[in-house]
Amino acid sequence: MDDLGTFLAHAVALEKESGERFDALADSLEVHHNPEVVELFRKMAHFSRLHLREVQDRAVGVVLPHLRPWEFSWPNAEAPETPSVEDTHYRMTAHHALLQALASERQGQAFYAGVAARTVNAQVKALATAFAAEEGEHVALLEATLSRFPPPPANWAEDPDPPNAPD
Amino acid sequence: MDGESMTHPNPQDYRSDVKPVWCPGCGHFAVITSVARALAELGLARENVALISGIGCSSRLPAYSTVYGFHGVHGRALPVATGLKMARQDLTVLVAGGDGDGFSIGGNHFLHACRRNVDLTYIVMDNSVYGMTKGQASPTTEADWDGSKLTPGGPGIAPFQPLEIALSAGASFVARAFSGQPAELTRQICEAICHKGFSFIHVLSPCITYRPEQRAYKDKVHQDWSQPASDRTEAFRTLLEDDGFATGILFRGSEPAAKPVERPRVALSDMETQFVV
């Protein structure tokens, strides 16, 4: 990725989609009365929006191209910092939510590090390196937080009255 | 599609404040996101779009969108949408539903909507189960699926083949997507809306509550159909090799879309004269 505008368009989309997904996950867990995880997902959405604002500030004066959703050069099917929908469960704990957040931050860090390693544009390299370092800080922070939330007992998903009980 | 010279609305503008009641982890979340992104990408005004559905988890889509919506009766989304499109050719009409609603209760309407080639975009979220009514086998359930007490040992009949049937019945745009690949799904929805005729998108959308094994879909799907066939026979040949997990746009035909019948040229008074004895 050698064009500054294209790189910043990716950075904007990465944070925007991350914030929207964390909010969607929070909404979904709110419907299923899991306030601890809701709070955590809301915080992650808030952080994504703060980072989005930082990226937008850095993009002032740069013309960002309009990329269609399928034109982004993401390594996988979605923007790298977008937490996975399928890893959520209505009885998930803060430990699981932190693992999900950690995975998304690690993917974001790897994406920026990859861009920094491959680009021939010095401006893009400098920004991608800085963004990768920032993501690295988030990873370290989440790892430290995760250590305060040990894995739940093995039967965490057990529900005496599960929604999928046959009538 | 010309996406370069227009201002694009925010996809969130197409989402209502109603929070989805789907199970956490459900594939349908990605479908509503993709619909919103596609509408934003095409810059369609909300008042010029209608989203019609039947009954089922996936048929809740209209409630989660800010475009006009109609949550109809079970299996009858396509007749409602057909009537709407015939009456209002200026509207973009999307239809959403599940495999039970679309292929069983509404199976007959599916055949004839394909045959009529009305300019609709039909998005079927297929999870091979009736999720809303607690997990019974649906038309696309595997013959040996033993997950429901109603069908011990499995339904025992070969599953419905949505793409083959759509192609046979005359659909002029046939595609398959996976909810875990929302960018590709968004692309297909954009292409389907722009296609003039009946567009059918078969979306593999896991139900993690009743079919937790569908979490493995992400390892099974493979994007094979990079170029849509314009010849129906060629599309059928491609389907002979299909394992049910190939994604992409399979077929895009050029048959003209159905148009409303012109107003009758005979006045009622003229008819009355025929009955004079």
Side-chain angles (χ1 to χ4, degrees), chain B residues 4 8 30 34 62 76 94 135 140 152 182 189 198 208 230 232 235:
Chain B
E4 305 304 325
H8 296 271
S34 297
R76 312 298 178 229
L94 310 179
T140 55
I189 296 171
F198 186 76
I208 49 88
S230 56
R232 212 173 276 273

Side-chain angles (χ1 to χ4, degrees), chain B residues 7 13 20 41 63 65 112 123 126 171 216 234 242 259:
Chain B
T7 307
D13 295 344
E41 184 56 41
S65 171
H112 294 287
I123 302 166
D126 187 355
E234 190 191 326
D242 181 35
K259 295 281 179 202

Side-chain angles (χ1 to χ4, degrees), chain B residues 163-170 229 231-242 250-251:
Chain B
L163 275 71
E164 285 178 23
I165 289 166
L167 210 51
S168 302
D231 175 65
R232 212 173 276 273
T233 311
E234 190 191 326
F236 272 120
R237 282 203 194 97
T238 304
L239 274 183
L240 291 175
E241 307 283 319
D242 181 35
L250 172 71
F251 174 71

Side-chain angles (χ1 to χ4, degrees), chain A residues 27-151:
Chain A
D27 287 347
S28 149
L29 271 295
E30 200 165 82
V31 169
H32 291 267
H33 311 294
N34 190 333
E36 188 187 28
V37 174
V38 170
E39 189 187 351
L40 210 146
F41 281 149
R42 292 269 181 242
K43 272 188 189 156
M44 291 304 300
H46 173 67
F47 292 141
S48 294
R49 280 190 289 271
L50 289 180
H51 301 151
L52 171 64
R53 226 166 294 151
E54 283 174 29
V55 175
Q56 285 170 329
D57 287 345
R58 295 209 198 205
V60 171
V62 181
V63 177
L64 305 192
H66 172 75
L67 297 174
R68 297 177 176 123
W70 56 93
E71 287 176 340
F72 286 90
S73 305
W74 306 127
N76 293 307
E78 291 195 89
E81 233 178 78
T82 305
S84 154
V85 167
E86 68 197 17
D87 289 338
T88 49
H89 188 281
Y90 71 103
R91 287 176 68 82
M92 70 192 295
T93 65
H95 175 80
H96 299 112
L98 283 165
L99 280 179
Q100 228 175 323
L102 187 56
S104 70
E105 292 293 335
R106 280 182 179 148
Q107 284 171 193
Q109 184 187 21
F111 170 72
Y112 286 129
V115 172
R118 284 188 295 273
T119 185
V120 295
N121 182 319
Q123 266 183 304
V124 172
K125 186 184 272 296
L127 264 182
T129 305
F131 288 175
E134 278 177 31
E135 299 296 349
E137 287 169 21
H138 305 155
V139 167
L141 192 68
L142 281 168
E143 282 172 342
T145 313
L146 185 63
S147 66
R148 290 190 277 118
F149 292 88

Side-chain angles (χ1 to χ4, degrees), chain A residues 16-17 20-21 24-25 27-32 42 66-71 77-78 85-90 162-167, chain B residues 1-4 8 10-12 19-26 29 37 41 134 149 180-183 186-187 190 208-210 215 218:
Chain A
K16 192 166 175 278
E17 290 180 23
E20 287 171 1
R21 178 62 59 79
L25 296 183
D27 287 347
S28 149
L29 271 295
E30 200 165 82
V31 169
H32 291 267
R42 292 269 181 242
H66 172 75
L67 297 174
R68 297 177 176 123
W70 56 93
E71 287 176 340
E78 291 195 89
V85 167
E86 68 197 17
D87 289 338
T88 49
H89 188 281
Y90 71 103
N164 58 353
D167 289 328
Chain B
M1 284 182 295
D2 177 16
E4 305 304 325
H8 296 271
N10 186 341
Q12 290 297 320
K19 290 177 184 168
V21 295
W22 296 317
C23 304
C26 176
F29 283 99
R37 285 184 185 163
E41 184 56 41
K134 307 199 95 176
K149 284 182 178 174
Q181 294 174 340
T186 306
R187 181 183 78 88
C190 286
I208 49 88
T209 300
Y210 292 100
R215 286 179 194 272
K218 65 176 185 297

